Amino acid sequence: MSRTPLLFGLPALCFALITWQVVAGGPLVSLDERLSGSLVHPSRSSELLADLGSVQVAVPVLALALLLVALRNHATGLDRWWLPPAAAAVLMALVPAVIVPLKELVSRPGPPVMGPGTGFYPSGHTATAAVAYGAATVLLLPLLRTAGARGALLCVCAALNTGVAFGLVRRGYHWPLDVVASWCLCAVLLSCLWLLVSRSTRRSSARTPSLRSGPS
């Protein structure tokens, strides 16, 4: 059974459910606000964690990964070596194009510590971190030869995104549901990139002659 519907369908469904609850002021919103009230405790450390999701920090990390992957793919003679890095760059550019209209459409007020104003749903910092660190991970995974290295990279990616989420909620920049909704939305975007990279890798492997069997 194909996992593709699960990759796209489940996070998309969760995002739709959360958005409906936020717009309608449903029970999840009341729970979200109570949870936020118990978690918010502004500090310098929470600000620093939240800043890991800023464009100034996250995007250069992705740019470095794009450069490394492009150089490696080109050096190994990969067909359409430029496609995975280009797709990741386009994905990163799509983040504000998707998040900003949603912020305007939903117009959710922020936590009390943020004062008056709207446009907090979904979280832009969360989306920036998820796509930047997530796309870098998706591109770099095929280059790593051992399961330990791949596991370490996945752990670093998870730690960075968890840190950003914790910092945003702890500092009071966002409600928890703002963060979770961005994760759901970005899971759909990153699934598209993962499918493209995996298919590109399979095509390249299929066209590489085996050293055991010789040329066909």
Side-chain angles (χ1 to χ4, degrees), residues 3-12 91 130-131 134-135 138 183-199:
R3 296 181 182 179
T4 302
L6 186 62
L7 286 173
F8 294 95
L10 186 58
L91 198 65
V131 171
V138 170
W183 275 348
C184 293
L185 185 59
C186 291
V188 177
L189 299 177
L190 290 171
S191 294
C192 296
L193 180 64
W194 179 80
L195 287 174
L196 185 147
V197 171
S198 60
R199 289 175 180 175

Side-chain angles (χ1 to χ4, degrees), residues 4-199:
T4 302
L6 186 62
L7 286 173
F8 294 95
L10 186 58
L13 180 62
C14 290
F15 177 76
L17 174 63
I18 294 171
T19 302
W20 165 58
Q21 284 289 292
V22 170
V23 172
L28 277 182
V29 173
S30 299
L31 179 62
D32 188 40
E33 292 175 352
R34 289 197 299 270
L35 179 60
S36 176
S38 65
L39 292 176
V40 172
H41 186 74
S43 64
R44 179 57 179 164
S45 60
S46 61
E47 287 184 11
L48 292 175
L49 287 173
D51 286 343
L52 292 175
S54 66
V55 171
Q56 294 84 354
V57 176
V59 172
V61 172
L62 176 60
L64 178 59
L66 297 183
L67 179 61
L68 291 174
V69 172
L71 292 175
R72 174 66 179 273
N73 288 350
H74 185 265
T76 56
L78 183 70
D79 289 339
R80 294 194 291 180
W81 56 269
W82 48 269
L83 183 57
V90 170
L91 198 65
M92 190 73 251
L94 281 176
V95 169
V98 173
I99 296 296
V100 172
L102 284 171
K103 285 178 174 288
E104 295 292 331
L105 183 64
V106 177
S107 296
R108 187 185 191 188
V113 297
M114 296 303 293
T118 59
F120 287 83
Y121 178 93
S123 166
H125 272 58
T126 302
T128 299
V131 171
Y133 301 135
T137 300
V138 170
L139 292 179
L140 291 171
L141 277 175
L143 306 184
L144 302 178
R145 297 183 178 181
T146 67
R150 291 190 291 271
L153 179 60
L154 289 171
C155 287
V156 169
C157 179
L160 286 171
N161 280 286
T162 301
V164 170
F166 178 80
L168 291 171
V169 174
R170 186 73 166 173
R171 176 59 179 78
Y173 287 145
H174 279 287
W175 306 102
L177 280 183
D178 300 346
V179 171
V180 175
S182 281
W183 275 348
C184 293
L185 185 59
C186 291
V188 177
L189 299 177
L190 290 171
S191 294
C192 296
L193 180 64
W194 179 80
L195 287 174
L196 185 147
V197 171
S198 60
R199 289 175 180 175

